[in-house]
Amino acid sequence: MLPLRAAARRILPRSFQTCHYSSSISTFPRTISSLLHSPPSDEGANETVTITGWVRSVRRMKNVSFAHVSDGSTIHPLQAVLTKEQSEDLSMGASVKITGEWKESVGGKGQQSRELLAEKVEVLGEADPLTYPLQKKYQTPEFLRTLLHLRPRILANTNLLHLRSGIISTLTAFFAENSFIQCHTPIITSSDCEGGGEVFAITRPESFFKTPKYLTVSSQLHLEALATAVPRVWTLGPTFRADKSDTTRHLSEFYMLEVEAAFIDTLDPLIALIEDMVATLIRSISASRLGKETLSAAGGEDKAKELEERWKGLLERPWSRITYTEAISRLNSAVEQKDAQFVFPPVWGAGLQAEHERFLAQTVFDGPVFVTDYPKSLKPFYMLPSTSTTPTPEGGETVACFDLLVPAVGELIGGSLREHRYNELLAEMQRRGMAVGDGGEDEGSLGWYLELRKWGSVKHGGFGLGFDRLVCYLAGVENIREAVAFPRWYGRCDL
Amino acid sequence: MLPLRAAARRILPRSFQTCHYSSSISTFPRTISSLLHSPPSDEGANETVTITGWVRSVRRMKNVSFAHVSDGSTIHPLQAVLTKEQSEDLSMGASVKITGEWKESVGGKGQQSRELLAEKVEVLGEADPLTYPLQKKYQTPEFLRTLLHLRPRILANTNLLHLRSGIISTLTAFFAENSFIQCHTPIITSSDCEGGGEVFAITRPESFFKTPKYLTVSSQLHLEALATAVPRVWTLGPTFRADKSDTTRHLSEFYMLEVEAAFIDTLDPLIALIEDMVATLIRSISASRLGKETLSAAGGEDKAKELEERWKGLLERPWSRITYTEAISRLNSAVEQKDAQFVFPPVWGAGLQAEHERFLAQTVFDGPVFVTDYPKSLKPFYMLPSTSTTPTPEGGETVACFDLLVPAVGELIGGSLREHRYNELLAEMQRRGMAVGDGGEDEGSLGWYLELRKWGSVKHGGFGLGFDRLVCYLAGVENIREAVAFPRWYGRCDL
């Protein structure tokens, strides 16, 4: 078959022939970042360059004007020196193309040690200062959330885009190096894994699928199926909860990083993996320009210092661990010793409230803490019984699981070993009234999940990390609605 | 605040203290891949190792048995040598843990140059041969699609998981190196970008959002918003079409890799980027063990050779280009010269049919071909008018766009320059009867999209690549339902 290609080319009229063009990246405009961070040329000769970007500000002096131009490749703008005439049509938000001499600036320092002495200035797209919604004055996060299509132009938001991207690429490399396979698990699913939360239902087109379908609340069950073939899998994808939460840490659509590993007997390998993963991230970020810019964008020196301390703290290992039962004792002794006062009294068998989690992560441990071995009744059906030796009140049953709590954010990760024994899982599912019919025939049942335990079952476990919360935590951003470019929550789905 | 951490630790009872544990990866079991590909130890000493995995086959001889064991880390099984007694409880599909001496095999070659002389054999999970659905005999793809939870255990499917993961990590590194920012665009959206295809609607919980919402059909519009802040963005995420297509190349839920770049004047940088991206992938895959295993899994020597030729062909650059108008002429002259016969006569102004695309990619070019400058009436509202000089029948308008056609798969990528002029875009949207109200107030309207052209608009363009089709193409897999672990199509959403 192959020789046809050449033959086909020969029979084509000349105009069909392709022409040569150069390697891709050189065909995109040079970024301001590459310019600001390039070493000064050896011979001290000044280079003629062309840059494109958006005007951040224009300062008009008597004989000369200075324009700050950003192209989103770095949060630091480039300074262009213009004649009065050249700057006439420039205003904040306008897009421009400037050609000029890239040279040492007189008395400049740091990022501003060089500047662009403009020769040719072209306005590509105007921005009428009277109508442009982004203004130099302080605009509240709530106001900016009404302008999601323009918000990425705010430098702090530009930085968050870079940071998220850097986290993704670092983690992708981390998992690849450690022989974890990245999988794409389905978004439209037949079953609701957790059983608890509200799900979004897809009902139109009618009867497109045989039965109603839902947006996934977790990839875990599907990852478990994959882990019975490829024992180290992970995924980073969107998950959905139709909860009416109106908090700084909940979204209706959010990204989860989920990991599943087979042939493990305890939680230790998962916990060590999490510590490794975060340490790798921190080392990569803090050594990079991305890290420096994230600190610059943190909102002042104090916040930058606090964030840098947070990063450093995360490198101290191992992180703290405490069983749920011990955590309840600790919370109660804090109440008794009048160290703390809670709205909800800490009671064994009840969930940890946000105020409890905050006290543990912020006050007791002042850093990340794994709370392990929660009561069985608080957790989903699939968890393996715990082997913890901590005595529980009235011998209450616990399961082999952990929640990772971190200051400011609260629960960041939840993980567990999974029940791998067919009979035990079947009994638990029946006890909870779950459908266990044959998966193929009866869509929506978890028969297939049970069947994973029927042939060649192995001990396994995994965890799910709230990816947007991780971005918040590493960026020092308080509200998850800032960490996501197009956030969706109860009643709000702009764009 | 920080000193509290140490203080808090001091006041904790001893049992709350954490213990030390080692770095994560060493805590996971050693993979068969790492064992098969480790160099023989220097002193020729035989190593005692423990492996875990699933039994692929057992061969019982008079005094000795051979078991092939896989753990999904490679498609090549490890050979274990067992006593008759040790092999008694082993059957295909069972999970095992075997400890023994890893030594040179007598007369072994290649992957089998070493074998595991078992000392201890432990069955972790049985697989009753009478009920285990995966059998040594040939099982059709259609049959295996009824067993999605077990199908990843088939070695060809295991390999597809590895290949997809390898493609993702290679592309993630490629885009990071070229200063493209990876973004997460929303799945639940207010608008239907393409206007054409059927969408899935989310209707429950009722009134969760103010108006009905849909599953995204493309990230393009959101990427355009991001590209007005960060001019090089990309995303890899799920997209949805509720079309009732029942073909080997359509799914209801599929992954799209989308790129958007600002400050470009022509399609050339996008086309060069695509060629670079694929060349990077091919070079990375063919140099790796993943590539060799993909060829092994291709289904025989002929198919492996054909696939290797396909990979090599993709490295020949530049790829062919032809305008839509020229393509129609070419198809018609093939009909006139009796080189080809089509069901649908090629007519300027009508879409290219699958048979036309196949003829172009397979017969005329025998490789990838960019078809550019389609009639405006065939394409969505947002495309920029073309600057092509190819005369069109009756001066029909064309737009600056391309479809990349490849043999076997058909359309793999579609891209275009976008209309960046406010007035022209508004006119076109009005001509097509689209909502252009204020985005914030009137959910579902594309007012926000129009507004991107109001302040600091720049020329830009991008493309969307059918990621699952790419996996098919690079793996030599014919049906997209095999390239996706949990495929969804009309009437089918198992698991």
Side-chain angles (χ1 to χ4, degrees), chain B residues 92-354:
Chain B
M92 181 181 166
S95 49
V96 290
K97 182 176 181 178
I98 305 180
T99 302
E101 204 179 347
W102 181 234
K103 55 180 293 191
E104 300 267 323
S105 75
V106 184
K109 270 189 232 169
Q111 302 294 348
Q112 299 297 340
S113 67
R114 283 174 291 170
E115 57 193 13
L116 184 62
L117 191 59
E119 281 151 24
K120 193 180 163 198
V121 178
E122 190 184 343
V123 175
L124 303 175
E126 295 175 356
D128 181 354
L130 295 178
T131 61
Y132 189 46
L134 301 182
Q135 297 290 334
K136 271 270 168 191
K137 67 184 169 202
Y138 177 71
Q139 298 182 308
T140 66
E142 289 80 359
F143 174 75
L144 291 173
R145 272 181 230 137
T146 67
L147 298 169
L148 295 182
H149 57 312
L150 305 176
R151 191 176 65 162
R153 303 181 188 191
I154 303 286
L155 288 179
N157 295 83
T158 302
N159 178 256
L160 280 168
L161 290 171
H162 280 271
L163 182 66
R164 175 178 281 260
S165 179
I167 294 173
I168 300 170
S169 62
T170 304
L171 291 180
T172 302
F174 170 80
F175 281 112
E177 277 161 26
N178 289 307
S179 306
F180 275 80
I181 296 298
Q182 185 169 7
C183 300
H184 287 149
T185 45
I187 309 305
I188 302 177
T189 60
S190 295
S191 56
D192 164 10
C193 158
E194 305 278 337
E198 283 282 323
V199 293
F200 288 106
I202 299 161
T203 49
R204 286 212 305 264
E206 270 176 51
S207 330
F208 188 90
F209 299 115
K210 292 170 204 154
T211 53
K213 294 292 167 245
Y214 309 98
L215 295 187
T216 184
V217 296
S218 161
S219 301
Q220 179 198 318
L221 305 194
H222 293 94
L223 282 182
E224 284 186 64
L226 297 172
T228 64
V230 182
R232 297 184 198 172
V233 289
W234 74 288
T235 189
L236 174 59
T239 43
F240 305 84
R241 304 273 162 97
D243 295 324
K244 296 185 177 175
S245 316
D246 185 14
T247 79
T248 57
R249 55 200 200 106
H250 289 92
L251 291 173
S252 304
E253 172 179 321
F254 56 100
Y255 269 71
M256 280 246 277
L257 187 158
E258 296 183 84
V259 165
E260 197 70 28
F263 300 110
I264 59 172
D265 299 323
T266 69
L267 294 171
D268 291 357
L270 298 175
I271 286 180
L273 181 71
I274 289 167
E275 292 179 339
D276 261 10
M277 176 181 85
V278 173
T280 302
L281 263 183
I282 297 291
R283 278 193 298 265
S284 156
I285 293 171
S286 41
S288 70
R289 200 160 49 70
L290 176 60
K292 289 193 191 73
E293 298 203 354
T294 300
L295 295 176
S296 304
E301 260 183 53
D302 285 356
K303 290 206 168 170
K305 204 169 164 186
E306 200 182 310
L307 185 58
E308 207 169 8
E309 291 295 335
R310 177 180 293 178
W311 293 352
K312 272 187 202 153
L314 288 170
L315 291 176
E316 286 175 31
R317 293 170 62 180
W319 296 351
S320 307
R321 289 200 213 182
I322 188 171
T323 65
Y324 166 88
T325 303
E326 291 163 342
I328 293 290
S329 309
R330 182 68 190 79
L331 293 167
N332 276 320
S333 70
V335 172
E336 281 158 26
Q337 291 166 26
K338 305 206 189 303
D339 285 346
Q341 194 168 9
F342 301 114
V343 175
F344 297 89
V347 179
W348 200 96
L352 292 181
Q353 298 293 323

Side-chain angles (χ1 to χ4, degrees), chain A residues 51-55 69 90 94-98 121-124, chain B residues 263:
Chain A
I51 61 105
T52 49
W54 292 273
V55 174
V69 180
L90 300 194
S95 49
V96 291
K97 182 175 180 178
I98 306 179
V121 178
E122 190 184 343
V123 175
L124 303 175
Chain B
F263 300 110

Side-chain angles (χ1 to χ4, degrees), chain A residues 3-17, chain B residues 320-342 344-348 352 355-366 369-372 390-391 393 405:
Chain A
L4 262 180
R5 184 177 188 168
R9 280 218 175 127
R10 232 171 296 128
I11 58 168
L12 283 175
R14 237 194 117 67
S15 65
F16 292 171
Q17 309 282 341
Chain B
S320 307
R321 289 200 213 182
I322 188 171
T323 65
Y324 166 88
T325 303
E326 291 163 342
I328 293 290
S329 309
R330 182 68 190 79
L331 293 167
N332 276 320
S333 70
V335 172
E336 281 158 26
Q337 291 166 26
K338 305 206 189 303
D339 285 346
Q341 194 168 9
F342 301 114
F344 297 89
V347 179
W348 200 96
L352 292 181
E355 58 177 350
H356 303 148
E357 296 184 342
R358 212 162 41 235
F359 182 76
L360 290 169
Q362 286 176 12
T363 308
V364 178
F365 294 99
D366 193 34
V369 53
F370 290 99
V371 180
T372 67
T390 309
L405 311 179

Side-chain angles (χ1 to χ4, degrees), chain A residues 166-187:
Chain A
I167 294 174
I168 299 170
S169 62
T170 304
L171 290 180
T172 302
F174 170 80
F175 282 112
E177 277 160 26
N178 289 307
S179 306
F180 275 80
I181 296 299
Q182 185 170 6
C183 301
H184 286 150
T185 46
I187 309 304

